[in-house]
Amino acid sequence: MNTFLFRKSAPLVALLGLGLSACQPDLENDVKPSAGSVDFSRYIAVGNSLTAGFSDNGLYLSGQQASYPNLLAGQFRQAGGGDFVQPLFQAGQENGSGYLRLAGFTSTGSPITANVTTSLALRSGATAARPLYTKYIEPVNNLGVPGIRLSDIETVGYGSTAGNPYFERITPDAQATQTYLARVAASNPTFFTNWLGNNDVLGYATAGAAASFLTPIADFTDKNTKVINALTANGAKGLVATIPDVTNIPFFTTVGPAFKATLTTNNVPAVIITTGGFNTSLTGTPPTRRTIATSTIRDASGNGVQLFTLTSSPYVALFGRPNNGKAWRDVYNQARPSLPAVVTLGLFLQLQGVDTTQAFGASNGNPIPSTLVLDDTEQATVRSATTAFNAAITAKANEKGLAIFDANTFFTRVASAGIITNGVTNTASFISGNLFSLDGVHPTPRGYAVVANEMIKALNAKYGARIAEVNPNDYIGVKFP
């Protein structure tokens, strides 16, 4: 069976989400900040959307200003740190790529979101399929590129108009063929943070294992070695972060509990899904059907093993209805750029063995598409890759004597018990948890502040520094209308 791949990028999803505020001391007043054995004069941040300050399904000015590298740089200045330049969107274009805002709630309490489409940083020739953002080609310290995978760092032309639009934005036209690795190697830091690798898992997981791909372990290990060697070539010290278990984020933990409760109330014993990729070949076979018991869907207490994506929210409400093909039409429209021109909607449904006149999710003829579910088998594959990737990250960091922020362990703990900042409880819950934005994947400003503090703890312990922590309660969660 042949399958297609969605466009390889950071998961850009249309979704839902909230926030709070209070007060927390940094270091005690009589403790003078110290760099320890670190030179913070030229701090370079390497990474993806998390490093850029991506939030609410977009990159925009206030999110950039709350990026964890910017928060770190502000604390480093108290211990001899230098200027930290980010490719900020300017006034009049402060909404950058556009993003989601919370517009209100339905009568049943469900959040209503809307796309922000004004004051965007788009230049002439931009299209929805190929955005071109306003250039920022001055030297920058924040090399966070939304969508970049570790497997992309040696891709020639990644900074061209045919490549990643966020990397193209900060790449001079004359250097369009320069690879991301070459850009990193030329950055010459005295101190760095590196948080690459999340997208080598995330795109595959958020697509329900039906699109994108997991980077081969050997390739991941090789590219991780190269980027760390480049960053430490001139003796720089730094910090690396591991990859969190993505199944603990709100993108995977929000829809399933409510759907399970509805199914249980209506005495529905099971639902039918597809698993794996989709068939695009006339000689191929339809995707595999799988029946999953209602009892196995993960609930709010963490019981159960089947996960529904946040993007499944509008479709699970259609469960059991005949003559409804919305989910499959939307899958086709998403996949269309990657499909042969001859594959019409009708042919696509035929190739999947889908009959939309049957009851949605309750019949083999009209199952729930695999893009909306990450089942237990797929989760095991994702976790195996995450474990292997983190082993490679940790081994290389230890070889070079670098500080490590174990994001995997930290976010697993947050998912289980939350984190309290000066009396304010923050959790991994969608809407009310403060830490995750409206896309269910990326942090809020509060979440980025918490991440910055965990990194500060790790580098203080490793290098004998005394860098003050920021006050997370000074930063918002999801913004109310």
Side-chain angles (χ1 to χ4, degrees):
M1 179 178 75
N2 295 320
T3 62
F4 65 84
L5 298 178
F6 289 133
R7 181 166 63 89
K8 183 171 68 174
S9 67
L12 304 179
V13 289
L15 314 167
L16 323 162
L18 294 177
L20 266 163
S21 194
C23 248
Q24 166 180 307
D26 294 324
L27 293 181
E28 299 201 14
N29 294 332
D30 59 346
V31 177
K32 183 179 180 180
S34 167
S37 61
V38 180
D39 176 2
F40 290 117
S41 60
R42 182 167 172 76
Y43 165 41
I44 297 294
V46 173
N48 49 46
S49 53
L50 294 169
T51 298
F54 198 96
S55 193
D56 298 321
N57 198 36
L59 186 66
Y60 55 102
L61 179 59
S62 61
Q64 292 177 302
Q65 292 169 331
S67 71
Y68 75 80
N70 196 45
L71 302 184
L72 289 176
Q75 302 307 100
F76 294 165
R77 288 190 194 99
Q78 301 174 30
D83 291 337
F84 187 78
V85 180
Q86 298 196 107
L88 299 177
F89 293 112
Q90 303 302 306
Q93 298 189 337
E94 63 272 10
N95 292 333
S97 66
Y99 59 96
L100 291 174
R101 66 176 179 85
L102 185 62
F105 296 89
T106 66
S107 58
T108 59
S110 296
I112 301 169
T113 60
N115 289 306
V116 173
T117 58
T118 59
S119 300
L120 303 184
L122 297 174
R123 67 182 196 264
S124 178
T127 65
R130 174 54 56 190
L132 295 172
Y133 299 118
T134 303
K135 285 278 197 175
Y136 190 107
I137 57 175
E138 298 300 317
V140 294
N141 297 71
N142 190 335
L143 295 177
V145 175
I148 193 170
R149 302 163 63 106
L150 195 53
S151 62
D152 294 323
I153 67 170
E154 291 187 296
T155 301
V156 175
Y158 196 69
S160 71
T161 55
N164 181 308
Y166 294 101
F167 190 41
E168 190 270 344
R169 176 178 181 252
I170 61 172
T171 301
D173 292 342
Q175 298 173 12
T177 60
Q178 183 185 46
T179 66
Y180 185 79
L181 179 60
R183 182 73 173 269
V184 169
S187 65
N188 195 28
T190 60
F191 181 81
F192 66 87
T193 54
N194 175 50
W195 201 0
L196 283 170
N198 297 278
N199 289 331
D200 296 79
V201 174
L202 192 62
Y204 176 82
T206 54
S212 189
F213 62 95
L214 292 169
T215 299
I217 295 170
D219 186 35
F220 186 99
T221 303
D222 175 62
K223 300 289 175 56
N224 181 69
T225 295
K226 288 176 177 176
V227 77
I228 296 301
N229 284 346
L231 286 164
T232 58
N234 294 323
K237 295 181 179 180
L239 174 145
V240 301
T242 63
I243 302 168
D245 179 352
V246 299
T247 64
N248 286 325
I249 62 178
F251 187 85
F252 290 110
T253 61
T254 300
V255 173
F259 185 41
K260 179 177 184 177
T262 298
L263 294 172
T264 301
T265 298
N266 290 283
N267 297 313
V268 178
V271 301
I272 300 173
I273 66 170
T274 64
T275 185
F278 300 111
N279 177 32
T280 60
S281 170
L282 294 174
T283 58
T285 56
T288 302
R289 268 63 171 166
R290 181 177 178 186
T291 300
I292 59 173
T294 297
S295 61
T296 66
I297 298 173
R298 188 192 291 188
D299 59 25
S301 298
N303 299 314
V305 293
Q306 312 300 346
L307 301 177
F308 283 77
T309 67
L310 194 55
T311 48
S312 71
S313 179
Y315 305 109
V316 296
L318 305 175
F319 177 81
R321 297 185 189 178
N323 298 306
N324 197 296
K326 177 173 172 51
W328 284 100
R329 286 196 303 273
D330 289 350
V331 166
Y332 170 73
N333 288 330
Q334 287 178 299
R336 196 171 184 178
S338 303
L339 296 173
V342 296
V343 180
T344 61
L345 172 61
L347 179 56
F348 180 75
L349 294 177
Q350 180 182 335
L351 295 175
Q352 314 320 311
V354 169
D355 175 4
T356 59
T357 66
Q358 296 188 32
F360 176 63
S363 61
N364 280 322
N366 195 5
I368 297 173
S370 54
T371 47
L372 305 180
V373 185
L374 190 69
D375 67 35
D376 53 334
T377 301
E378 295 162 346
Q379 291 169 50
T381 300
V382 168
R383 288 198 181 99
S384 177
T386 301
T387 298
F389 293 167
N390 283 339
I393 290 169
T394 302
K396 188 62 181 178
N398 287 332
E399 175 194 321
K400 292 290 186 176
L402 304 175
I404 301 172
F405 164 42
D406 189 350
N408 191 14
T409 296
F410 174 71
F411 279 107
T412 296
R413 187 168 73 246
V414 169
S416 173
I419 182 172
I420 297 175
T421 56
N422 194 31
V424 176
T425 299
N426 309 278
T427 72
S429 296
F430 191 52
I431 304 291
S432 60
N434 296 325
L435 300 182
F436 287 91
S437 70
L438 296 177
D439 58 31
V441 174
H442 298 89
T444 59
R446 172 80 59 84
Y448 281 124
V450 167
V451 165
N453 281 349
E454 294 303 310
M455 290 185 170
I456 287 171
K457 292 174 185 176
L459 71 88
N460 280 347
K462 182 67 177 180
Y463 298 117
R466 291 196 302 271
I467 302 301
E469 296 177 21
V470 301
N471 179 4
N473 298 339
D474 287 340
Y475 298 88
I476 65 170
V478 175
K479 187 176 181 180
F480 284 93

